[in-house]
Amino acid sequence: MSDATAMTLDAPLAQVSVAPPMGMVSLRAAHDMTLKTTLGSFQLGVPEQRQITTYPGGRVAWMSPDELLILLDKDRTTDLVERLSVVLRGHHHMVTDVSDARAVFRVDGPKADQVIAKLCPVDVLDGAFPMGELRRTRLAQVAAAFWRDEAGFTLVCFRSVAQYALDVLSVAARPGTDL
């Protein structure tokens, strides 16, 4: 996907773009008071099921009953991984920098929900998918996660399928295209 790293497509339904690189830390651990206390000391919260929360400097996404995805500035990733590993020592956990294994896209504009609706088996139209909710699902034929904000949607997928994701998002952003 090296050719598409700075691509932005303005289509009639929405603007599709490759998001700037960001840090992503996968934290696997039991969602218990130890984890809540630990993350609280980092000014991070544990979101409820299928939610994404904002904290100063990033977001924390619920990915599964034992996994969180922490999104932050790329230059702070290594430090967070090291600090979390030290604080959680003695507790069953795994902290991994997955920044380079994931690709992030933005779908912005007043009809961004129509682009997502064409590709994902999730009801996102007419307010059915509120801000703060996160969904892990399929984007056409690949695994992805996405959430809504004021301007549109952020979508995360594996970097190995990033070009495919960009291509299908770009096609779906054109009116009259059914996939």
Side-chain angles (χ1 to χ4, degrees):
M1 194 182 99
S2 60
D3 294 345
T5 56
M7 181 183 170
T8 297
L9 168 75
D10 281 314
L13 292 182
Q15 181 183 62
V16 175
S17 59
V18 177
M22 67 174 61
M24 290 182 245
V25 175
S26 174
L27 171 58
R28 297 197 77 122
H31 288 196
D32 60 13
M33 288 310 296
T34 300
L35 183 61
K36 288 182 181 191
T37 302
T38 298
L39 291 181
S41 69
F42 286 87
Q43 297 182 336
L44 304 171
V46 177
E48 296 297 320
Q49 182 176 357
R50 289 190 7 214
Q51 299 294 305
I52 185 164
T53 59
T54 302
Y55 70 94
R59 296 176 180 260
V60 180
W62 181 95
M63 299 302 280
S64 72
D66 70 343
E67 181 182 8
L68 299 175
L69 183 64
I70 304 168
L71 303 139
L72 68 160
D73 293 331
K74 192 150 177 69
D75 61 343
R76 296 180 44 225
T77 306
T78 302
D79 180 58
L80 181 64
V81 168
E82 291 171 358
R83 291 175 48 214
L84 281 171
S85 296
V86 168
V87 172
L88 289 169
R89 190 172 291 142
H91 299 280
H92 185 70
H93 75 283
M94 181 176 71
V95 180
T96 309
D97 179 354
V98 295
S99 307
D100 293 334
R102 306 286 189 271
V104 183
F105 300 96
R106 288 288 310 165
V107 181
D108 295 305
K111 296 183 179 181
D113 56 349
Q114 292 179 23
V115 174
I116 299 297
K118 286 181 179 183
L119 298 169
C120 299
V122 178
D123 185 2
V124 297
L125 301 174
D126 301 323
F129 190 81
M131 284 187 273
E133 185 171 340
L134 174 130
R135 190 62 59 95
R136 288 183 75 170
T137 187
R138 312 248 356 124
L139 172 77
Q141 298 298 312
V142 299
F146 67 87
W147 60 91
R148 178 192 298 261
D149 59 32
E150 297 81 13
F153 293 85
T154 300
L155 186 133
V156 177
C157 68
F158 291 111
R159 185 161 307 280
S160 61
V161 296
Q163 188 62 57
Y164 172 80
L166 180 61
D167 291 347
V168 296
L169 285 166
S170 299
V171 169
R174 297 183 204 134
T177 55
D178 293 324
L179 299 173

